[in-house]
Amino acid sequence: MSMELQFQNTQVNSELQHEITQFLYHEAYLLDHHMYQEWHDLLTDDIIYRMPLRVTTERRDGSNIVDDMTYFEETKKSLETRVKRLYTNSAWVEDPRTRQRHYITNIMVKPGANSDEYNVRSYFYFKRSRASEHQLEEIIGEREDIIRKVDGQWKIAARTIIPDQAVLTVMNLSMFL
Amino acid sequence: MLVKDSVNKQTLQKLKEKLDKGLMPQWAVTDKDIYELERRQIFGKTWQFLGHESELKEPGSYVTRWIASDPVLLVKTNSGEIKAYLNSCTHRGAHLCTADFGKKKTFTCPYHGWSFNLEGELVGVVSGKKVYGEKMIKDEWGLRPIPKVGMYQGLIFASLDHQAMPLEDYLGDMKWYLDILLGRSDGGMEVRGVPQRWTAQANWKMTQENFASDPYHVQTNHRSTVELGISPNDPNFASYGHQIVLGNGHGLSIMTSATGKSPYKYQTLPESMWPMFERNLSPEQNEIFSNATVFVGGMFPNLAFDSPVHGMEGEMCNYLNLRVWRPLGPDKVEIWCWFLIDKAAPEEYKEEAYKAYVGSFGPSGTLEQDDTEVWARIIQVSDALMMEDKELSYNNVNNYLLGEDVFEPVENFPGPGVAYPSTYTDNLARSIQKRWFELISKGLLDEEEDSQ
């Protein structure tokens, strides 16, 4: 069954919906406040973190998402390298720091494959201000997550980020989405 | 003093005098009149990279590309030939195909329904006889072919210039190095997926220079990756080896290590592949390839390549990254970034190499992120009035004197071209600028001679 249909068929209670929504807001807060180490702690050890490419295709040619090429193809360890980089003294792209906002909306939660897991879909709207530039950069899209409860804490066990732009209009992806 | 008013013969003459001294007036980087000259005299004349043959798998496969502002439809015909057309309907000029890629027998314009086959022929006109009568000769309304199309080692190029020299002559001695990068393995290289695309605040000349000829920036700009162990652990690693100046504004750096040999034989490619390399390449090419850590360079004007050794999780891998800096103006580029790997490499290796690429290059690359920051910093200030009036040691001519009087070309380098014994030299940058200037000034500086 497609994920879309499953979402329609399955409801979770509002308390759980609220808890997971708050968890994703908390995650966005950590990212927007440069607390990358704390953000990394929210990921399970087996996390798969990916960002496939959006492309423009004719409908007859099927999906407009190319899974074979990605902007992120990460494990917990490779994400640790990326996080550590942001704490070095030579990650120039974030020093001076950019100012970022992750707006997370349209959160839909449904039970996952295991009893402690939920499949969570959300939309994101990312805006960034760099130096004295007047124009803000932006990127929009959706995320498909697996959120897992580990020792009483919510963690992100998988994330697929799907951008809506076939040509990204951010000058780099120094952020996590 | 070099004061710029508009791009006339006098300004060009002064620009030339500066370039000859290893100085580049900064106003010329983002000047709008210069950009217009570049668009017509460089992008309208040179061979431009469109894609790799592995992107067009079967008859009917197509991709859409751009040569600066010219839309290109690149197709594989029924006979397996690769053809390129202006991606614009011949009826009212609409952009014919807006998909990035796909497979088709005919391309139909959504405006009035004219359709074209893979040979570019007009094969369908809606209500043709009724509205055009018998007079219309369909043969006259086919898609406009891009004047020249050529291929070398699977790389597909095209030129808007009917008079363009043959592709192989254009590439010249670069072919010898492309043979190493693309012709070493049986079956050649293959593109994975599609190119990554994004826009950056940058001038195409500076991004090309950054990749093609400037390993000097690696030590500072990419220091974070040395600290993290993604790049070789010697902070000077990018300086060891040779910079090789080829003709026509092409060239590359071949990095090794302090010993002159890479710690990674054949760039970490599996030992099972080495006999194949020895068979497919000459002894001289093998000598260079087996001892290299990084090949990084460019083909004039805006195609750059990088074949490094990197790894995000400790395991080091090699891959080939090709990139086109498509200019969208003097201060903006659309970057097209391809990942290629040897078709003959083990699947597991291909996968690791791909992860190493995503970790290092492309918009999220731990190396490339910091490049985008400095590209933006150059164009943000280049419009300043004081950029128009700058002398050596007052700063608004840019310094291209690195390595001058320090390095002499080496004798007996195994490959073609003029090889310098360090990559920290501006010899290649200056030869790119020389070619750039020849093309933008063509017919302007030698006006009087032409009219005689």
Side-chain angles (χ1 to χ4, degrees):
Chain A
M1 201 191 304
S2 78
M3 203 162 170
E4 203 164 325
L5 280 175
Q6 287 177 46
F7 272 110
Q8 284 169 9
N9 295 346
T10 327
Q11 295 281 330
V12 296
N13 66 50
S14 56
E15 196 182 328
L16 187 67
Q17 168 84 29
H18 178 73
E19 234 182 273
I20 288 177
T21 300
Q22 289 300 310
F23 172 69
L24 293 180
Y25 288 172
H26 173 65
E27 185 209 359
Y29 180 88
L30 294 179
L31 289 173
D32 291 343
H33 292 78
H34 319 289
M35 297 161 80
Y36 303 112
Q37 195 56 62
E38 290 81 354
W39 173 76
H40 192 251
D41 291 341
L42 298 183
L43 315 177
T44 63
D45 290 342
D46 61 347
I47 186 170
I48 297 168
Y49 181 98
R50 311 181 70 238
M51 183 171 173
L53 264 65
R54 183 76 80 170
V55 288
T56 306
T57 50
E58 294 194 355
R59 278 171 56 190
R60 47 179 277 167
D61 287 322
S63 171
N64 65 358
I65 298 164
V66 168
D67 215 40
D68 224 18
M69 179 50 61
T70 53
Y71 294 114
F72 284 109
E73 191 69 60
E74 310 297 315
T75 60
K76 179 120 187 205
K77 189 160 180 215
S78 70
L79 285 169
E80 185 186 358
T81 305
R82 290 179 181 275
V83 164
K84 277 188 177 162
R85 197 185 93 81
L86 294 167
Y87 290 92
T88 66
N89 293 320
S90 47
W92 312 113
V93 70
E94 287 298 329
D95 189 9
R97 275 176 175 158
T98 62
R99 282 78 58 179
Q100 314 181 353
R101 296 289 162 191
H102 291 73
Y103 296 99
I104 307 300
T105 70
N106 302 55
I107 298 167
M108 298 177 78
V109 181
K110 76 160 205 77
N114 299 310
S115 61
D116 56 351
E117 286 181 356
Y118 292 88
N119 295 335
V120 180
R121 184 166 60 195
S122 57
Y123 293 0
F124 66 88
Y125 187 9
F126 173 88
K127 299 285 283 188
R128 179 165 71 181
S129 168
R130 176 185 169 275
S132 298
E133 274 163 35
H134 299 177
Q135 192 87 32
L136 300 179
E137 292 179 286
E138 65 182 26
I139 179 167
I140 59 170
E142 66 182 54
R143 310 184 302 188
E144 288 174 6
D145 295 346
I146 296 173
I147 306 289
R148 185 190 298 159
K149 200 148 215 179
V150 182
D151 300 329
Q153 304 286 317
W154 290 111
K155 301 259 180 182
I156 304 162
R159 171 163 294 167
T160 303
I161 303 150
I162 304 167
D164 286 339
Q165 290 142 300
V167 182
L168 302 183
T169 53
V170 285
M171 65 189 230
N172 56 58
L173 293 168
S174 68
M175 78 301 276
F176 300 104
L177 291 165
Chain B
M1 215 178 321
L2 176 56
V3 179
K4 178 241 161 191
D5 43 15
S6 66
V7 181
N8 55 32
K9 195 175 167 183
Q10 203 183 6
T11 339
L12 287 172
Q13 190 56 48
K14 284 178 179 172
L15 185 53
K16 185 175 188 307
E17 283 164 21
K18 291 292 174 193
L19 291 173
D20 288 344
K21 290 181 193 160
L23 310 172
M24 170 78 162
Q26 194 164 346
W27 65 263
V29 174
T30 53
D31 184 82
K32 290 175 183 62
D33 297 332
I34 293 267
Y35 178 72
E36 197 47 38
L37 288 173
E38 291 170 350
R39 224 163 65 80
R40 290 173 188 284
Q41 311 209 153
I42 296 179
F43 293 94
K45 301 286 181 192
T46 54
W47 283 95
Q48 290 281 312
F49 179 67
L50 293 180
H52 186 262
E53 62 173 342
S54 64
E55 295 181 89
L56 297 168
K57 291 200 167 49
E58 46 201 349
S61 295
Y62 72 88
V63 295
T64 55
R65 298 284 143 95
W66 294 85
I67 294 177
S69 42
D70 286 54
V72 178
L73 176 61
L74 189 66
V75 304
K76 188 169 225 174
T77 66
N78 287 327
S79 62
E81 223 183 318
I82 287 170
K83 294 206 167 175
Y85 309 104
L86 186 70
N87 188 4
S88 164
C89 180
T90 54
H91 174 229
R92 287 289 197 270
H95 197 185
L96 181 61
C97 177
T98 58
D100 297 331
F101 61 89
K103 202 185 156 198
K104 276 178 171 242
K105 288 196 181 93
T106 52
F107 295 87
T108 303
C109 179
Y111 198 176
H112 302 88
W114 285 28
S115 54
F116 305 87
N117 67 12
L118 297 170
E119 298 292 337
E121 296 158 337
L122 177 63
V123 289
V125 175
V126 171
S127 305
K129 290 234 164 65
K130 212 167 170 185
V131 292
Y132 283 99
E134 300 294 332
K135 280 188 194 153
M136 185 183 189
I137 302 164
K138 280 191 191 155
D139 290 355
E140 291 178 352
W141 296 95
L143 291 176
R144 269 184 83 180
I146 303 296
K148 297 265 183 182
V149 179
M151 179 147 70
Y152 188 76
Q153 288 286 14
L155 305 180
I156 304 163
F157 292 83
S159 175
L160 304 181
D161 182 10
H162 289 277
Q163 258 67 62
M165 68 175 91
L167 176 64
E168 296 218 2
D169 295 347
Y170 182 80
L171 295 173
D173 285 337
M174 182 55 94
K175 286 186 299 181
W176 195 89
Y177 298 96
L178 292 178
D179 291 346
I180 300 178
L181 297 171
L182 295 138
R184 63 206 190 188
S185 288
D186 298 344
M189 305 294 276
E190 61 188 7
V191 167
R192 178 168 172 143
V194 296
Q196 299 169 322
R197 293 162 70 193
W198 78 105
T199 57
Q201 298 182 60
N203 177 268
W204 70 272
K205 296 187 286 300
M206 305 317 282
T207 50
Q208 177 70 358
E209 170 193 301
N210 173 270
F211 261 78
S213 65
D214 185 20
Y216 182 45
H217 83 282
V218 173
Q219 193 162 348
T220 302
N221 192 232
H222 301 309
R223 198 173 72 212
S224 72
T225 65
V226 177
E227 287 179 45
L228 292 167
I230 299 168
S231 296
N233 55 13
D234 180 342
N236 290 305
F237 80 94
S239 72
Y240 307 122
H242 294 87
Q243 184 174 85
I244 300 129
V245 179
L246 304 166
N248 280 344
H250 312 317
L252 74 162
S253 292
I254 301 176
M255 301 172 191
T256 54
S257 78
T259 65
K261 284 187 177 202
S262 171
Y264 311 101
K265 192 170 178 189
Y266 283 113
Q267 298 189 291
T268 76
L269 286 156
E271 203 167 338
S272 58
M273 297 173 77
W274 298 357
M276 178 174 67
F277 301 149
E278 283 160 16
R279 195 176 68 239
N280 289 335
L281 302 174
S282 71
E284 292 78 14
Q285 287 169 321
N286 272 291
E287 185 188 335
I288 286 180
F289 181 26
S290 62
N291 290 319
T293 305
V294 180
F295 294 86
V296 60
M299 282 157 268
F300 190 83
N302 62 331
L303 169 62
F305 61 84
D306 185 27
S307 169
V309 173
H310 280 126
M312 281 295 271
E313 305 197 42
E315 205 148 318
M316 294 295 200
C317 288
N318 170 249
Y319 51 85
L320 176 63
N321 169 216
L322 294 175
R323 47 186 55 235
V324 164
W325 322 102
R326 175 192 167 205
L328 297 176
D331 55 3
K332 195 171 179 185
V333 290
E334 183 178 283
I335 305 168
W336 291 63
C337 228
W338 287 259
F339 169 88
L340 294 95
I341 191 78
D342 305 67
K343 219 177 269 182
E347 290 306 316
E348 204 175 302
Y349 187 91
K350 290 183 189 178
E351 200 60 27
E352 285 307 310
Y354 163 58
K355 287 180 186 164
Y357 163 69
V358 173
S360 303
F361 289 101
S364 74
T366 47
L367 287 145
E368 187 137 7
Q369 287 177 32
D370 291 325
D371 286 315
T372 66
E373 173 66 22
V374 292
W375 299 338
R377 288 191 187 202
I378 294 173
I379 59 112
Q380 275 162 6
V381 297
S382 293
D383 279 342
L385 286 176
M386 285 180 75
M387 297 299 174
E388 297 179 10
D389 165 6
K390 184 152 123 168
E391 284 296 321
L392 181 56
S393 78
Y394 251 115
N395 193 354
N396 280 8
V397 279
N398 296 332
N399 179 318
Y400 284 88
L401 300 164
L402 189 74
E404 200 181 52
D405 303 327
V406 179
F407 302 117
E408 290 296 323
V410 297
E411 307 280 336
N412 306 323
F413 187 73
V418 181
Y420 293 86
S422 168
T423 70
Y424 281 10
T425 163
D426 280 329
N427 280 291
L428 179 51
R430 288 175 71 169
S431 93
I432 296 171
Q433 288 171 354
K434 188 166 172 262
R435 185 67 187 140
W436 166 78
F437 184 80
E438 280 167 9
L439 290 178
I440 60 161
S441 64
K442 202 171 180 194
L444 293 173
L445 205 54
D446 47 6
E447 233 164 44
E448 281 162 39
E449 292 158 37
D450 284 354
S451 61
Q452 277 167 8

